[in-house]
């Protein structure tokens, strides 16, 4: 395939999104060989090449059509969208899929010893952040007049240094806030990774590959939670068993040779299957229970 028909995909070079992004692409079947400079990964078996860059550059690279696709946090994307809107040039990248990694939230936090009684408590306060636009909208919507202190990092130590009264930063486990004696008080944005695409129309050939990738991404995300359950049961127990199978659509019912009253039930459950569920199924009359991981799934 010539150069123009290869799809360029931007991925974070080194950070929290790197491993899950590369893992997702591998599960979608992409075999990458990394170049000497480690800045590019070449798809050996699919026409995708991966560009490894800083996450903050991904929205621009896709918007400017340097890359066709990008994997980036919603927090970075939405901050960029607001920044572009403020400059009078609306964002043109398109979010294609929500991904099940990179989960975190952009939150407001105050020193634990400070009283907090709703967003109004932030009136007249200084709030440190690297997300001035998202924070700005949050404050504006609530008619709160606060000063936004824009920092480029180490936001969580700003209150201790006397540079701010509160912070607005990403949180996942909350341990960073705790270590800095801060208390999470408001969520500004719930975030996760997203797959974005260029606003420029793609050739038919590229489009077909993007569609294939999207189907595979969906399949990969579904199988993570899915299990294949097999069991034997008396026909009379089928209604109860079907009610107990978690998140399964119509199961396959197979007659058992030599036992007209008994059947085998096979079902894909789109949720995790816990011991408690198996115990309930057994109580309802099921036997020979088997739970298997699902390797691939294509709707
Ligand atoms: O070098 P580059 O610019 O590419 O990387 P970066 O340093 O800007 O980003 P990186 O790798 O830290 O994060 C990339 C993306 O991961 C973010 O844009 C989010 O979409 C997502 N993400 C998910 C997180 C977190 N969870 C997270 N916990 N990004 C940052 N954090 C930080 C947070 O800023 C705080 O310092 O982790 C700390 C809090 O974590 P907890 O677990 O203590 O609450
Ligand atoms: Zn960054």
């Amino acid at each position: 395939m010539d150069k123009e028909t290869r799809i360029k995909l931007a991925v974070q070079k080194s950070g929290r999104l790197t491993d899950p992004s590369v893992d997702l692409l591998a599960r979608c079947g992409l075999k990458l060989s990394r170049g000497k400079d480690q800045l590019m990964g070449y798809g050996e078996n699919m026409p995708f090449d991966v560009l490894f860059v800083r996450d903050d550059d991904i929205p621009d690279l896709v918007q400017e059509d340097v890359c066709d696709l990008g994997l980036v946090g919603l927090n970075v994307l939405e901050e960029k969208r607001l920044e572009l809107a403020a400059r009078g040039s609306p964002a043109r990248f398109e979010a294609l899929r929500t991904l099940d990694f990179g989960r975190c939230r952009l939150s407001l936090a105050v020193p634990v010893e400070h009283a907090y009684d709703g967003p109004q408590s932030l009136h007249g306060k200084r709030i440190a952040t690297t997300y001035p636009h998202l924070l700005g909208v949050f404050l504006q919507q609530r008619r709160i007049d606060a000063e936004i202190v824009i920092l480029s990092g180490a936001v969580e130590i700003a209150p201790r240094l006397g540079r701010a009264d509160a912070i607005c930063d990403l949180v996942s486990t909350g341990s960073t806030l705790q270590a800095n004696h801060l208390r999470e008080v408001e969520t500004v944005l719930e975030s996760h990774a997203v797959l974005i695409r260029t606003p420029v129309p793609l050739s038919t050939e590229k489009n077909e590959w993007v569609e294939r990738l999207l189907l595979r991404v969906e399949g990969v995300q579904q199988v993570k939670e899915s299990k294949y359950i097999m069991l034997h049961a008396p026909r009379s127990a089928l209604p109860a068993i079907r009610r107990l199978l978690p998140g399964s659509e119509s199961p396959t019912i197979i007659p058992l040779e030599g036992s007209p009253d008994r059947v085998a039930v096979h079902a894909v459950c789109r949720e995790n299957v816990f011991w408690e569920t198996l115990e309930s199924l057994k109580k309802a009359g099921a036997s020979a229970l088997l739970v298997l991981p699902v390797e691939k799934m294509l709707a």
Side-chain angles (χ1 to χ4, degrees):
M1 216 176 264
D2 64 64
K3 220 172 169 194
E4 280 63 48
T5 53
R6 293 188 67 82
I7 294 161
K8 281 197 218 69
L9 199 157
V11 165
Q12 190 186 22
K13 183 170 188 268
S14 118
R16 290 168 194 260
L17 300 182
T18 309
D19 286 346
S21 299
V22 170
D23 180 60
L24 172 67
L25 296 172
R27 284 171 191 266
C28 287
L30 182 64
K31 287 201 172 68
L32 279 183
S33 62
R34 292 283 276 263
K36 267 209 196 95
D37 51 8
Q38 302 283 303
L39 294 177
M40 277 280 264
Y42 300 91
E44 291 172 6
N45 58 338
M46 289 162 66
F48 286 84
D49 292 332
V50 176
L51 231 80
F52 291 98
V53 295
R54 284 202 55 191
D55 69 342
D56 314 74
D57 296 335
I58 294 175
D60 277 338
L61 286 170
V62 173
Q63 155 125 332
E64 287 158 18
D65 198 37
V66 178
C67 291
D68 305 286
L69 301 175
L71 296 176
V72 67
L74 185 67
N75 49 305
V76 170
L77 196 68
E78 290 308 301
E79 178 69 14
K80 191 71 190 182
R81 197 189 294 280
L82 293 173
E83 183 194 319
L84 287 167
R87 278 201 258 130
S89 59
R92 294 178 305 128
F93 37 72
E94 188 192 333
L96 290 177
R97 280 291 181 284
T98 292
L99 304 171
D100 59 3
F101 59 88
R103 287 200 181 281
C104 58
R105 51 201 186 275
L106 182 65
S107 289
L108 278 155
V110 298
V112 280
E113 66 276 14
H114 285 196
Y116 183 83
D117 191 21
Q120 297 305 321
S121 311
L122 298 166
H123 255 303
K125 298 283 197 288
R126 295 162 304 156
I127 310 173
T129 192
T130 52
Y131 294 88
H133 295 93
L134 282 165
L135 174 60
V137 168
F138 178 91
L139 295 173
Q140 206 180 358
Q141 282 172 349
R142 287 157 187 80
R143 299 179 193 284
I144 295 161
D145 195 12
E147 185 193 336
I148 299 177
V149 180
I150 305 174
L151 299 182
S152 56
V155 171
E156 64 279 1
I157 60 168
R160 244 187 307 153
L161 297 179
R163 297 184 72 184
D165 307 298
I167 68 160
C168 174
D169 198 10
L170 297 177
V171 182
S172 54
T173 62
S175 55
T176 302
L177 290 184
Q178 211 180 359
N180 288 283
H181 304 287
L182 295 165
R183 177 161 59 108
E184 191 175 356
V185 289
E186 302 286 343
T187 306
V188 174
L189 179 81
E190 291 280 355
S191 187
H192 45 74
V194 280
L195 173 64
I196 58 169
R197 64 155 280 176
T198 163
V200 176
L202 298 174
S203 67
T204 316
E205 203 172 345
K206 273 191 178 183
N207 236 333
E208 278 172 10
W209 271 104
V210 171
E211 288 301 319
R212 280 176 84 173
L213 180 74
L214 288 177
L215 278 178
R216 292 184 188 187
V217 166
E218 238 155 62
V220 167
Q221 301 207 138
Q222 275 179 8
V223 297
K224 274 195 197 155
E225 293 276 289
S226 297
K227 292 282 178 280
Y228 194 77
I229 294 196
M230 302 197 282
L231 56 86
H232 289 182
R235 267 186 197 281
S236 58
L238 277 179
I241 285 175
R242 288 184 70 157
R243 274 197 300 275
L244 286 168
L245 288 172
S248 75
E249 281 146 34
S250 35
T252 308
I253 315 283
I254 308 155
L256 285 176
E257 191 70 18
S259 340
D261 299 339
R262 292 181 63 76
V263 288
V265 179
H266 289 194
V268 173
C269 294
R270 289 171 194 262
E271 293 168 29
N272 235 324
V273 180
F274 297 103
W275 280 111
E276 287 76 7
T277 312
L278 296 184
E279 285 158 6
S280 306
L281 284 165
K282 200 167 161 58
K283 261 195 200 134
S287 58
L289 286 139
L290 260 185
V291 182
L292 306 172
V294 176
E295 162 87 17
K296 287 193 175 65
M297 194 186 273
L298 202 60

